[in-house]
Amino acid sequence: MISLRSRKQYRKRSVQRKNLRIATMEGIPAVMFMTLLGGQFLTGFMLYLGANSSELGFVLAITTFVNIAQLFAAFLIQRLKSRKWTLVLFVALHRILWAGTGLVPFVFPKPYWVIAFIILYTIAFMFNTVGGILWNSLISDIVPARVRGRYFGIRNTMLNALGTLVMYAGGMILDHEPGGKGFLILYVIVWICIAANITMFFFYPDMPFERSSESKFIPMLKKPLKDRAFLKATLFLGGFLFFQNLVVPLYSYVMLQLLHINYQTLSLLNVAQTVFMMGSFYIWGNLNARYSNRRLLFWTLPIIALSCLLWGLLSVLPMLPVLAAAHIIFGIGVGGFNQLAFNFMIGDTPKGERPMYMAMYAAITGVAAFFGPLIGGHVHELIQGWPVWTQIYGMQLIVGTAMLALTATLGRRILRDT
């Protein structure tokens, strides 16, 4: 005979598995439309609209700057009766407005294409800041702590594998149908995926919410600010992301505009990056069972810095092998960084205060990451008359060296020895 307690545990595990399947299935259309609207496709579409490097830098930066709004969202969700339905609302607004950028060439005169895109894109990501913190809060309750590392490792691997296929297919479409027709095909696929993604959120569970012990905004805001270990780590990671974002978001611009690489080749480079990032999830996940999130975060940093420095080999070695090596090394490093930073936010913070901790992390790193591509885009404009090598890999060499120096000094004290 099966005891009553055993039956209850079985039902609980069955419900948990169902919820995990829903969260995984929701990610499938999400990764498809995000792949086709971001990265090289975002850069290519903006260049098609007529954007320059400064405008591109602003668009790449604004998604992180609006994360400041998460501080207020973290306070407001304490008063929500339902995280799920508020999440559905903000997710739908974000997706619909982002997909609406594809209508810009059909609705606005050509001189207003870039500004119209920027306005729609910015508003979309303002809604996404609220949706993002709601999703992080909800998913941390959906995924049991004991399987969190394994689940996100499998989910990330599967979704990134799909993302590589979509990325390559998107590159082939744009090479076969360059210009407006190619982007129209991509946006039709995007609209279908967004409809499916929004629908999947209706099946999310509305989990019980452990609320903060504080009821007012300022005391709640002070909780992560008084946590010295958390604050020091977050400020340091924000500084590192500032340097990283001076160059990395503009890689596609450099390759498309200065190295004249076609979309299919660019897709293959990004596929190689993603494949190695996927493989690294398993390695970082196993290491995470033995070492702390912070210590492993430290070891991802010199790997990311090395990927920037490898661009300097363009001066002596063939272009494609160098770019492939730089993308592969970056994939290994950033895969570990993203996975461990997420675990750091949801695993190393008190559960009741987790929304404000996550919001503080997003706000600090978001502001730092905002100024990176913004300044990087302006620098590219300023050095247009300089020797070509300074525009192609000069900034990467300077930034990579700065990242290594930052890691070896502050990073060693703040992360590795924590």
Side-chain angles (χ1 to χ4, degrees), residues 161-173:
L162 174 62
T164 60
L165 296 175
V166 174
M167 186 185 303
Y168 184 67
M172 290 183 65
I173 290 170

Side-chain angles (χ1 to χ4, degrees), residues 106-306:
F106 301 98
V107 176
F108 297 94
K110 191 169 184 177
Y112 299 102
W113 282 3
V114 174
I115 188 64
F117 178 94
I118 290 174
I119 292 171
L120 279 173
Y121 189 84
T122 302
I123 297 172
F125 276 87
M126 288 177 68
F127 286 120
N128 188 55
T129 59
V130 181
I133 196 166
L134 284 164
W135 186 85
N136 285 335
S137 172
L138 192 57
I139 200 70
S140 66
D141 290 335
I142 290 173
V143 184
R146 68 181 184 279
V147 300
R148 195 171 283 153
R150 184 183 177 193
Y151 170 75
F152 283 114
I154 294 171
R155 184 180 189 268
N156 290 341
T157 301
M158 186 188 77
L159 294 182
N160 278 282
L162 174 62
T164 60
L165 296 175
V166 174
M167 186 185 303
Y168 184 67
M172 290 183 65
I173 290 170
L174 287 182
D175 279 338
H176 189 262
E177 298 287 352
K181 186 176 180 180
F183 284 112
L184 177 59
I185 295 171
L186 294 189
Y187 269 96
V188 169
I189 299 170
V190 162
W191 291 326
I192 294 169
C193 291
I194 281 178
N197 180 242
I198 294 171
T199 302
M200 286 303 303
F201 277 103
F202 281 77
F203 297 95
Y204 261 58
D206 206 355
M207 303 293 288
F209 184 30
E210 183 176 324
R211 302 181 190 278
S212 171
S213 58
E214 301 290 347
S215 59
K216 295 183 178 179
F217 178 69
I218 297 300
M220 195 182 299
L221 184 69
K222 287 181 178 179
K223 288 275 187 176
L225 294 176
K226 289 180 178 178
D227 188 336
R228 292 192 61 185
F230 168 82
L231 188 60
K232 285 166 63 178
T234 300
L235 288 170
F236 167 76
L237 292 174
F240 188 89
L241 287 173
F242 165 76
F243 283 107
Q244 176 182 308
N245 280 19
L246 282 170
V247 292
V248 173
L250 294 164
Y251 280 176
S252 293
Y253 171 80
V254 172
M255 289 184 284
L256 287 170
Q257 289 291 93
L258 302 177
L259 296 177
H260 307 292
I261 291 175
N262 61 35
Y263 283 103
Q264 191 168 340
T265 303
L266 185 54
S267 293
L268 284 172
L269 290 170
N270 285 322
V271 164
Q273 175 180 306
T274 307
V275 167
F276 278 84
M277 181 172 66
M278 285 160 37
S280 77
F281 289 149
Y282 178 78
I283 298 171
W284 291 115
N286 284 341
L287 290 172
N288 205 189
R290 298 176 57 192
Y291 303 104
S292 70
N293 292 318
R294 298 183 190 207
R295 181 175 289 268
L296 290 177
L297 267 173
F298 170 80
W299 285 111
T300 66
L301 306 184
I303 297 174
I304 295 172
L306 175 62

